[in-house]
Amino acid sequence: MEGEGNGKSIEKLRVDIDSIDYKIIDLLLKRNEIAHKVIKLKAASGAPVFDEERERLIIEKLSRYAGGRLSNDFIEKLARVFLWESKSIERPNSFRRRNDKIFSLLATRPAVIAGPCAVESEEQIMAAAAALSAAGVKFLRGGAFKPRTSPDSFQGLGDEGIRLLKAAAAKYGMFSVTEFLEINEIERHYDNVDIIQIGSRNMTSSGFLKYIAKISSQDCKPIILKRGFGSTIKEFLLARDYLARDGNPNIALCLRGIRTFEQIESSMRNTADLAAILELKSLTGSPVFFDPSHSAGRADFVPQLAEAALALGADGIMFECHPAPEKALCDGGQCLTLVASAELSKKVLSSKP
Ligand code: PEP
Ligand code: MN
């Protein structure tokens, strides 16, 4: 009898919950209506639709209003959904939804992007994809166009590298991540990759950033922007603003070590800019990745740096691996073996967000 009474009470409470949910939908639609008026006025005056600073202020205001009754993280997620939703309605595009889904997967802690520095052969990229996907990794990296310091070093397989990366990602149900160095490469391969990487050397190339901002604004293809090795945090965020300016909100940041005086006598390739994770997380809602491979330049330091980055709040890591690191044509010294990669990935992916 008592159970029946409870059942009735629950039913009644559920009616109340439903009515609140309907009101939330009505309010969101009302909000979209007003947001569209703002978008139209902005478009008429030539102002960009996305305004990161305004979005940040809205999130701050809402967090203050909630006054701790809801977590800041929850407020931020909620606000991002309705801020971006209202803006995407203006540009219906079948690819947009897919790209938003990829980005939200990328932005879900703890994410892992892994793969070889450069795609070298079908066997190599397939072996890496097989091992990584078996460990739960969803994002397969692999360079086809490599930004090498020496013109005599291996420059990547180019178009063929993109073809092999795409085939490996498709075979193992992963999303591909690759860097482009030139506009003509993007023109040829825009539709062949899931996530565009902008490397450390190109972060300061404003013309290149503008081109990618424009082309990616149509379908909001996710972009992962690496920090220039000599760039300040402010410059890094301004580069991100270049990319977001035409309306693509799907931009992730990746720290990868910076050059300091330490490199004069250190075995490490760069100085791991780990504390910058804390600062970026406090300044921006963009997902923040850390690349322990380029930070240290030493495979033996990679697992601990990766764990440190996640402990500091990074949303994910990007690391390099190779079926036979000693034979790698590029960055072998910082590549994990496939066994070590699987071990690190499993550990990271099973850790609490
Ligand atoms: C890379 O990730 O392949 C790469 C070249 O990294 P970075 O641009 O950080 O040097
Ligand atoms: Mn590399």
Side-chain angles (χ1 to χ4, degrees), residues 116-118 141-143 146-147 179 197-202 226-227 229 254-257 269-270 291 294 318 320 331 334:
C117 179
R141 63 152 287 150
K146 292 305 302 175
E179 175 174 1
Q197 176 174 325
I198 298 174
S200 190
R201 291 153 194 81
N202 267 323
K226 298 190 87 173
R227 179 182 184 181
F229 55 76
C254 183
L255 295 161
R256 42 80 73 211
R269 188 170 173 180
N270 287 287
D291 169 350
H294 290 90
M318 174 197 275
E320 292 185 339
D331 287 353
Q334 66 191 38

Side-chain angles (χ1 to χ4, degrees), residues 119 121-130 133 140-141 161-176:
V119 178
S121 67
E122 182 167 2
E123 300 70 53
Q124 175 237 27
I125 191 70
M126 287 295 175
S133 68
L140 179 66
R141 63 152 287 150
I162 298 285
R163 191 185 70 74
L164 294 173
L165 178 69
K166 184 178 176 184
K171 179 164 179 189
Y172 291 96
M174 300 170 86
F175 299 110
S176 62

